[in-house]
Amino acid sequence: MSDDPGAVRPGLRDRLTDGLYGLGWTAVKKLPEPVARTLFRIIADQAWKRRGKSVLRLESNLARVVPGASPARLAELSRAGMRSYMRYWMESFRLPTWSPARIKASIEVADAHRLTDALGTGRGVILALPHLANWDLAGAWVTTDLKVPFTTVAERLRPETLYDRFVAYREGLGMEVLPHSGGAAFGTLARRLRAGGLVCLVADRDLSASGVEVTFFGDTARMPAGPALLAQQTGALLLPVTLGYDDTPVMKARIHPPVETPGSGSRGEKTSSMTQALADAFAVGIADHPEDWHMLQRLWLADLETREDPT
């Protein structure tokens, strides 16, 4: 037990967390949309004003994305970033109630033919994207407008009931969700791809020992090797995707040219080259929409190694 009488016990904290998310999925979708938008903007602004660890880390990350930005500009971007992040949650809580027509009207996809042409050949396809805007909405567009199911991976969350909520939410949108832990996900993803299926992976942050080091906005970060390894082992096409909001209610998406598997080199060299190509495509989208990059954690190795920084 904690010596601090005011501390929240881990079990109670888990139940509170699960309860709050459950409230979001049941209550927020019942609110009139203008009310929900206003509420989540207020929540975003209050979180930004408190200048907590997540907001400070967001600003630190944005300083790398927008080099030379003044403190005022970074503050402006981080405020917009928190509003974007809360927009993601507001939309996600309401997404299960949206019709296919509403989903289609809420996203505009540039170069969608790169995906549809590849799927038409019966070849497996991997979509890799960063934490930009609303990746759940993009996934819902794939399952409802293109009518293509896909497989993805979700990090196990605490408490287990919260993880179950996220799995049920995404499965309700037509996704097959595999747990990240346990080591079995890679084999299942490979089988889906060899059968001509679609796999979607958020792939801009990896803190594991197996992550691939890349140059990202001028410094070294680590990104997951999975997309590149799956493409090599299955022959699937690897397509980077970036997202972003603008001043309209319609999210913009772009499907980038495929990342090709190099014709020579070791598996490690090929994986490094392909992951760097993904990072370069992600950087283009993030630079275009820095306020929509929901990276509230440390990413660059230099930041991970800074013990003095508690965030």
Side-chain angles (χ1 to χ4, degrees):
M1 295 180 61
S2 170
D3 293 330
D4 179 1
V8 179
R9 296 190 303 274
L12 176 59
R13 185 187 302 115
D14 288 348
R15 290 195 297 274
L16 287 172
T17 300
D18 179 55
L20 287 172
Y21 279 98
L23 181 63
W25 268 300
T26 55
V28 174
K29 63 186 178 184
K30 297 179 181 178
L31 293 173
E33 187 156 333
V35 174
R37 289 190 180 278
T38 300
L39 173 62
F40 275 73
R41 176 163 287 202
I42 291 171
I43 293 171
D45 288 348
Q46 289 300 314
W48 178 78
K49 288 176 182 177
R50 285 199 297 269
R51 309 289 293 165
K53 291 180 180 180
S54 294
V55 173
L56 295 177
R57 173 49 51 194
L58 177 61
E59 281 190 14
S60 176
N61 290 339
L62 288 170
R64 293 179 182 271
V65 174
V66 189
S70 66
R73 173 60 176 154
L74 288 175
E76 177 187 348
L77 280 172
S78 67
R79 183 177 188 181
M82 292 305 296
R83 288 181 172 183
S84 175
Y85 185 49
M86 286 297 108
R87 175 176 171 175
Y88 162 78
W89 281 111
M90 188 276 294
E91 290 179 345
S92 294
F93 287 141
R94 298 174 68 86
L95 197 52
T97 68
W98 286 10
S99 67
R102 171 67 191 274
I103 291 170
K104 181 178 181 178
S106 299
I107 182 171
E108 181 180 300
V109 183
D111 298 316
H113 66 90
R114 290 181 172 134
L115 172 58
T116 54
D117 289 352
L119 291 170
T121 67
R123 182 180 181 184
V125 179
I126 305 161
L127 296 180
L129 61 161
H131 287 83
L132 270 172
N134 192 336
W135 47 96
D136 285 331
L137 173 56
W141 171 78
V142 170
T143 60
T144 59
D145 191 50
L146 298 186
K147 295 180 172 56
V148 176
F150 67 84
T151 305
T152 189
V153 174
E155 180 183 358
R156 281 204 173 275
L157 303 171
R158 286 189 57 194
E160 188 73 15
T161 50
L162 178 57
Y163 172 76
D164 292 341
R165 286 186 191 274
F166 271 95
V167 170
Y169 157 63
R170 292 190 168 115
E171 287 181 342
L173 297 175
M175 311 175 193
E176 178 188 23
V177 183
L178 306 176
H180 185 271
S181 60
F186 188 92
T188 302
L189 294 174
R191 286 194 295 275
R192 300 291 184 269
L193 291 168
R194 291 191 181 101
L198 177 64
V199 164
C200 299
L201 300 170
V202 179
D204 57 343
R205 182 173 184 261
D206 190 330
L207 304 183
S208 71
S210 62
V212 178
E213 291 189 5
V214 295
T215 300
F216 195 53
F217 289 102
D219 208 343
T220 304
R222 189 179 292 127
M223 294 187 180
L229 288 172
L230 283 167
Q232 291 176 62
Q233 292 193 17
T234 67
L237 191 69
L238 176 55
L239 293 171
V241 179
T242 56
L243 311 169
Y245 297 125
D246 56 15
D247 294 331
T248 74
V250 180
M251 183 177 74
K252 305 301 187 290
R254 178 188 174 193
I255 300 178
H256 294 252
V259 172
E260 302 291 348
T261 300
S264 61
S266 66
R267 185 174 72 169
E269 290 169 340
K270 292 178 181 180
T271 301
S272 179
S273 174
M274 295 172 74
T275 306
Q276 182 63 61
L278 275 183
D280 293 343
F282 293 167
V284 170
I286 293 168
D288 286 343
H289 297 276
E291 69 279 7
D292 294 326
W293 189 39
H294 306 155
M295 187 54 64
L296 280 67
Q297 303 85 20
R298 289 178 286 184
L299 177 70
W300 282 272
L301 298 191
D303 294 334
L304 292 168
E305 294 166 357
T306 304
R307 296 179 179 274
E308 295 79 12
D309 185 350
T311 64

